[in-house]
Amino acid sequence: ATNPKVTVAIAEPLGAETNLVLKAGDLTLRARTPGFDPRAAGAEVNVSLEGARFHVFDTDERGARLAGHGGHA
């Protein structure tokens, strides 16, 4: 399977890690990468959730975490 490409909307380097906001159409992903990741807004990156830890949240105003969704490291 191929890894989909997404666009970096925001990169926030925090020293030990970098938080990224990624966009793919109407889908918004937030990712944490280790270390300093100097990606520019508008850059395309590949995403893989295989083996990753992730959480899924409802899109309503509460944004509650959806039980039974997400990966484990």
Side-chain angles (χ1 to χ4, degrees):
T2 61
N3 296 333
K5 286 193 175 188
V6 297
T7 303
V8 174
I10 299 169
E12 182 181 15
L14 301 173
E17 63 191 26
T18 299
N19 291 332
L20 300 173
V21 176
L22 308 169
K23 295 281 191 173
D26 292 338
L27 178 66
T28 299
L29 301 171
R30 299 188 190 305
R32 183 172 52 207
T33 62
F36 180 76
D37 191 343
R39 310 257 178 191
E44 285 191 338
V45 295
N46 292 317
V47 173
S48 172
L49 299 179
E50 188 174 325
R53 294 185 309 169
F54 60 94
H55 306 283
V56 178
F57 297 89
D58 199 339
T59 58
D60 68 10
E61 63 277 353
R62 292 183 326 122
R65 182 168 182 241
L66 301 176
H69 293 81
H72 305 283

